[in-house]
Every structure is written in C-alpha cells, then in structure tokens.
Amino acid sequence: QVQVVESGGGLVQAGGSLRLSCAASGSIFSINAMGWYRQAPGKQRELVAAITSGGSTNYADSVKGRFAISRHNAKNTVYLQMNSLKPEDTAVYYCNANVDYEDYYGMDYWGKGTLVTVSS
C-alpha cells in the first residue's frame, strides 16, 4: 500500500516561517506529482503548491512569493517552505501524491494532515 505522511506543522507568529515535509512510501512504480493542499474551518480544500516529477511547479495566487515547494526525488519527499506567514494561512495542510502503483495509474493518495496555526 502507499503511505503519505506529513510533518512540520505547529504554532507560529504572523511574519514567521515554517517548513512542512511529506514523504511517500510503498510499492510505488513512479510518482507523477506531489502537492500541498489546505483546508480552513468552513472552507473548501484548496491547492497551495504542487510539483511534478520533472520539476514544474504551480502555486496558489495567495501564496506566490511567500511559499516555495521543493522535492527530493530519491527520498520521495517534498517540502513546503512557508515564509511571511499570515493569520489567513491557518489551516490543516494535506500532502497529496499522484502515483503509479501496482495495476493503478495516476492515483491520488493523501496524508492525514498537519495543523498550521498563525497567530496575529
């Protein structure tokens, strides 16, 4: 089975920084892309940042210039460096991995989430 595990969430003051990590493991043939999503109370889950196996990136407009996604392919790991954090960044952050696994292709697997709280 495929496992996706996030870490690095916590409490930080506005203007501060935090780095999230996510590792995918299991009988993975290949990882097509990995990304970070977030969901605040009462709101829909939204894309924060994503990166493909080839290194292409995509960011939500609200985090451009503040967040940066990076990867370590050999470890099936992605990172989200979050700078200049704002209270509106407060949410549960979920890691997603789109993988080719056994007889399945392009399947999405999700971590359980890590809470980021930004105080004013």
Side-chain angles (χ1 to χ4, degrees), residues 14-98:
S17 298
L18 210 58
R19 188 175 77 161
L20 306 182
S21 300
C22 174
S25 62
S27 299
I28 300 170
F29 182 76
S30 65
I31 297 179
N32 303 305
M34 296 184 73
W36 290 95
Y37 293 71
R38 68 186 181 188
Q39 187 167 25
K43 295 188 176 182
Q44 291 183 299
R45 186 176 298 188
E46 65 174 350
L47 172 70
V48 178
I51 187 167
T52 69
S53 60
S56 298
T57 59
N58 187 35
Y59 295 92
D61 288 340
S62 60
V63 306
K64 287 181 179 177
R66 299 189 297 120
F67 292 7
I69 189 168
S70 60
R71 74 193 196 282
H72 193 307
N73 287 343
K75 295 182 177 181
N76 292 335
T77 301
V78 295
Y79 307 93
L80 185 68
Q81 180 65 46
M82 304 185 293
N83 299 321
S84 301
L85 283 161
K86 304 175 181 179
E88 48 263 50
D89 294 318
T90 296
V92 177
Y93 285 69
Y94 297 91
C95 181
N96 170 267
N98 186 274

